[in-house]
Amino acid sequence: MNEKVADEAIPGNKDISISVSPTQVERASSKSSKDLDDAYEFYRRQDATNVDPLEARQVLRKIDWHILPLLMGTYLLQYLDKSTVNFASVFGLRQGTHLQGQDYSWSLSIFYFGYLVAQWPAGYLLQRLPVGKFIGGTTIVWGMLTIVTPACKSFAGLAVNRFLLGCSEAVVNPGFVLVLSMWWRQDEQPMRLTTYYSMNGIAGICGGLLGYAIGHITSGLPPWMYIFLIFGAISLAWGTLFLIFMPDLPSTARFLNDRQKVVAVERVAMNRQGVKNHHFKTYQMWQCFKDPKTWILFTMAIAAQIPNAAQSSFTSIILETFGFDVLETQYLQIPGNVVQFCSLLLSGWISSRFPNLRCAVMLISNLICVGCGAALVGLPVGSDGTENRWGRLVALWLCSFTSVGFSLSLTMVSSNVAGYTKKQLTGAFLFVGYCVGNIIGPQTFKDSEAPFYTSAYIAILVGYCVKTTMVAVLYLYMWAENKKRDREAVVQGSGLSEEQEKEAIEQGMQDVTEIDNKGFRYVL
């Protein structure tokens, strides 16, 4: 048998060509089928064939044009459906559903209780079921739940609806992190993730404009009902398209021919993480529990999401307390969403263009948020809460940089965790923290403190400070581990020998975790 040669650059080692020797292939063939990647047969087809860089770029272009728009559209609609209560809150939702006191805050938190409950089942099913079909099916479900929201006439009805909506949307974020590692190389992932994540900003802009337009409807149903009906119908239609066009694996993609499928699998094999393995492995679960990265990312997610209520579900109400009228609260959200959109794309470009700058970009964006959080706490608000409203409004807009830190933390899962069971469990832990933060956040907005919301602004500042600290801790841990592995491999600098790279890639396709695969290096 000829040697397997992949003339494709490795992130951070761009001069290295990878080969897999006959002995390695024979060793792989003796492995249990549970250990081999779902796309391993396509990986082995690369024997004796060079991957032309031009051909690899053509395949990447097809993946970008086919997969990325599906992720972008789904993420946009997920954010819109989740945030409909924000746009509807000033158009009669609270009156129409007879919410009192902290009922509105609890309706926001209950969404994340559903999200939390569904995390573990969603992670398991994402591993066991076809990814594209599973995500598409849940998109249809959440569209239906959004459409029926106007039928809720009480807090109890709205709470049940929001809980189920949280359960259905719990699939998207962890599912997309897994999709990212299945289709793109480590150095390509930040730009793609921040591209689809930037749809939060576009959704905020579209939602603000639609909310402003719907606010002028004076006949028929109450305006808040139209918001749910329109957004839900769009999600229902989009979910059907996603179900039809989203492939489950590179090896089953209809938009690629057989040769291109092999190239697509070969590209992501370079990540030393494999593509997908649908067998749950208990030892990887225990490794996940013991891995410091799991708990650092968990803490980071909680701290990042406590301030999120001010950036999503309470934005309209906060702007009302600043002294703006109902329609102004809709279009004055747009600049913050523009900041979010631009900062995400810029951070993604920097992180993909320049290696090992992800943590540095996260730190800078988090420090901007710390400064803005301090402004929201420290600026005088006057007796009625409207003093310094423009200064506080700008600070609120710039808090949108928080999305940079959280989105790049997701690439720490897609790029720095190997072993499919371990990856999906680490993602689940991160999103459990995401849920906990989003459950806590709305409760810091106490109705008794309106219009000042002192507790909420202090919580925002504390959250930003904690997540900034966690980024530094994560960087130091991964940097130290890389240096330790370099010393153990007796390698000069940060590179690996060709033989070590070759072995690391083969282990990745055999579902070996990044802890056991000593040829793995963390992307910083």
Side-chain angles (χ1 to χ4, degrees):
M1 184 184 294
N2 294 321
E3 282 196 344
K4 172 183 170 123
V5 178
D7 194 17
E8 177 75 290
I10 305 297
N13 297 277
K14 298 187 179 296
D15 297 325
I16 295 175
S17 297
I18 301 307
S19 62
V20 175
S21 65
T23 56
Q24 286 177 303
V25 175
E26 289 167 9
R27 185 162 66 245
S29 65
S30 67
K31 285 274 187 179
S32 165
S33 61
K34 291 175 64 176
D35 296 322
L36 299 182
D37 195 273
D38 288 3
Y40 192 82
E41 286 304 314
F42 276 83
Y43 170 71
R44 289 188 63 181
R45 287 186 196 179
Q46 187 55 35
D47 286 357
T49 307
N50 290 334
V51 176
D52 180 11
L54 177 60
E55 185 180 24
R57 285 195 295 271
Q58 290 172 342
V59 171
L60 173 61
R61 193 176 301 114
K62 293 189 76 170
I63 292 170
D64 283 341
W65 279 104
H66 190 97
I67 303 297
L68 199 54
L70 290 171
L71 303 186
M72 292 166 65
T74 307
Y75 215 79
L76 183 148
L77 291 171
Q78 180 224 219
Y79 188 83
L80 277 177
D81 288 357
K82 181 172 60 179
S83 302
T84 43
V85 289
N86 170 47
F87 303 117
S89 63
V90 293
F91 287 121
L93 168 69
R94 288 177 288 179
Q95 293 77 16
T97 53
H98 306 97
L99 303 184
Q100 299 177 351
Q102 289 292 105
D103 285 352
Y104 177 73
S105 295
W106 277 111
S107 71
L108 303 177
S109 294
I110 284 169
F111 172 92
Y112 291 101
F113 277 111
Y115 206 109
L116 178 63
V117 168
Q119 268 312 299
W120 302 111
Y124 179 76
L125 292 173
L126 281 166
Q127 183 172 16
R128 298 290 295 173
L129 299 177
V131 172
K133 296 179 181 62
F134 186 42
I135 297 176
T138 58
T139 303
I140 292 173
V141 170
W142 95 54
M144 295 171 63
L145 287 167
T146 304
I147 287 176
V148 302
T149 304
C152 302
K153 302 299 181 185
S154 66
F155 171 70
L158 184 63
V160 171
N161 178 274
R162 295 286 295 171
F163 180 86
L164 294 175
L165 188 65
C167 290
S168 62
E169 292 196 19
V171 174
V172 176
N173 263 313
F176 279 13
V177 171
L178 298 176
V179 167
L180 199 69
S181 64
M182 289 164 55
W183 290 94
W184 288 282
R185 285 181 2 190
Q186 289 174 327
D187 57 331
E188 298 162 351
Q189 290 174 14
M191 188 70 242
R192 275 69 184 182
L193 188 143
T194 54
T195 297
Y196 77 67
Y197 203 90
S198 69
M199 292 300 101
N200 283 356
I202 298 298
I205 294 170
C206 294
L209 293 174
L210 281 171
Y212 182 79
I214 292 170
H216 288 83
I217 298 176
T218 56
S219 59
L221 298 171
W224 69 271
M225 292 188 177
Y226 285 111
I227 294 175
F228 290 98
L229 294 172
I230 293 170
F231 291 173
I234 296 171
S235 295
L236 196 59
W238 181 263
T240 304
L241 293 175
F242 191 96
L243 196 62
I244 295 170
F245 292 107
M246 182 67 188
D248 301 309
L249 289 168
S251 54
T252 62
R254 288 177 293 180
F255 65 92
L256 299 175
N257 61 37
D258 285 345
R259 168 63 184 167
Q260 291 170 334
K261 291 175 184 177
V262 173
V263 174
V265 171
E266 184 68 19
R267 279 174 21 84
V268 295
M270 303 298 175
N271 293 340
R272 289 155 275 182
Q273 297 172 298
V275 180
K276 182 180 180 180
N277 186 299
H278 66 274
H279 297 284
F280 186 89
K281 299 178 180 178
T282 305
Y283 88 92
Q284 292 190 11
M285 176 185 72
W286 292 116
Q287 277 197 3
C288 176
F289 292 157
K290 296 174 183 177
D291 188 352
K293 298 194 304 297
T294 302
W295 302 105
I296 294 170
L297 289 168
F298 174 75
T299 305
M300 192 190 303
I302 294 176
Q305 296 308 310
I306 288 175
N308 187 52
Q311 292 299 116
S312 54
S313 303
F314 270 89
T315 311
S316 297
I317 293 173
I318 288 173
L319 294 181
E320 269 194 316
T321 68
F322 286 2
F324 299 107
D325 64 38
V326 171
L327 293 179
E328 286 177 331
T329 64
Q330 300 301 294
Y331 64 75
L332 283 176
Q333 296 182 48
I334 293 175
N337 291 304
V338 172
V339 170
Q340 182 184 46
F341 177 76
C342 294
S343 63
L344 281 166
L345 291 183
L346 178 62
S347 66
W349 180 81
I350 292 172
S351 299
S352 289
R353 179 68 178 81
F354 304 101
N356 293 324
L357 279 184
R358 297 186 197 184
C359 288
V361 172
M362 292 166 69
L363 278 171
I364 293 170
S365 64
N366 288 348
L367 287 172
I368 292 172
C369 293
V370 169
C372 293
L376 290 172
V377 171
L379 286 175
V381 299
S383 58
D384 59 356
T386 60
E387 189 177 323
N388 287 310
R389 66 175 184 172
W390 287 106
R392 290 187 292 145
L393 179 60
V394 171
L396 190 64
W397 288 341
L398 292 178
C399 282
S400 296
F401 271 92
T402 188
S403 295
V404 172
F406 184 71
S407 63
L408 290 181
S409 73
L410 300 182
T411 71
M412 295 299 166
V413 179
S414 64
S415 297
N416 286 334
V417 181
Y420 205 81
T421 298
K422 187 172 186 292
K423 184 190 293 287
Q424 66 93 356
L425 285 174
T426 303
F429 263 106
L430 187 151
F431 285 107
V432 166
Y434 169 88
C435 294
V436 171
N438 277 296
I439 289 169
I440 294 171
Q443 301 310 314
T444 65
F445 284 85
K446 299 178 181 178
D447 192 59
S448 60
E449 292 184 353
F452 307 107
Y453 294 124
T454 304
S455 298
Y457 294 134
I458 292 174
I460 287 170
L461 177 58
V462 172
Y464 288 148
C465 291
V466 171
K467 80 165 186 168
T468 302
T469 303
M470 287 297 103
V471 172
V473 172
L474 180 64
Y475 174 84
L476 291 172
Y477 172 78
M478 295 191 301
W479 176 84
E481 187 64 25
N482 281 351
K483 292 298 182 183
K484 176 184 175 184
R485 292 187 177 196
D486 286 345
R487 289 193 301 269
E488 290 174 350
V490 197
V491 175
Q492 296 297 321
S494 60
L496 292 172
S497 70
E498 182 176 345
E499 182 64 28
Q500 289 167 331
E501 288 280 7
K502 172 176 56 179
E503 180 68 18
I505 290 173
E506 182 68 24
Q507 288 189 19
M509 292 303 292
Q510 294 174 17
D511 202 39
V512 176
T513 68
E514 84 282 6
I515 292 175
D516 294 331
N517 187 349
K518 298 306 179 182
F520 190 95
R521 295 296 181 270
Y522 294 116
V523 180
L524 303 177

